[in-house]
Amino acid sequence: MDLSESHVFVLLLMLAFEVLALVQVWRDRRRTLVVKVLWTLVILALPVIGVLGWAVNWLLGKAAEALQRRNA
């Protein structure tokens, strides 16, 4: 199998995003163990979609926290 440099770069970038997402999932103290396991399965089973789904969920959670702090 012949992989060009751009293919290798994209694969490494995807791997880096997956690792980042998994680290963030397991460092989140607000999530239960069940939620962490489910996010891990989604991220590993559906690499691109799972990471994008996690990122959207994470960013929306951060925005909701900011709104709660501002309104408190």
Side-chain angles (χ1 to χ4, degrees), residues 38-54:
L38 288 174
W39 269 116
T40 299
L41 291 174
V42 169
I43 291 168
L44 292 176
L46 305 167
V48 175
I49 295 170
V51 170
L52 288 175
W54 165 81

Side-chain angles (χ1 to χ4, degrees), residues 22-65:
L22 289 171
V23 167
Q24 290 296 331
V25 164
W26 286 97
R27 288 183 67 202
D28 191 350
R29 295 180 183 169
R30 295 171 296 137
R31 308 285 184 214
T32 65
L33 180 62
V34 172
V35 171
K36 290 178 182 183
V37 169
L38 288 174
W39 269 116
T40 299
L41 291 174
V42 169
I43 291 168
L44 292 176
L46 305 167
V48 175
I49 295 170
V51 170
L52 288 175
W54 165 81
V56 168
N57 182 275
W58 184 70
L59 289 172
L60 289 176
K62 291 291 185 185
E65 284 178 7

Side-chain angles (χ1 to χ4, degrees), residues 8-29:
V8 172
F9 176 73
V10 170
L11 289 173
L12 289 174
L13 191 62
M14 287 174 52
L15 181 63
F17 281 130
E18 276 200 42
V19 169
L20 174 68
L22 289 171
V23 167
Q24 290 296 331
V25 164
W26 286 97
R27 288 183 67 202
D28 191 350
R29 295 180 183 169

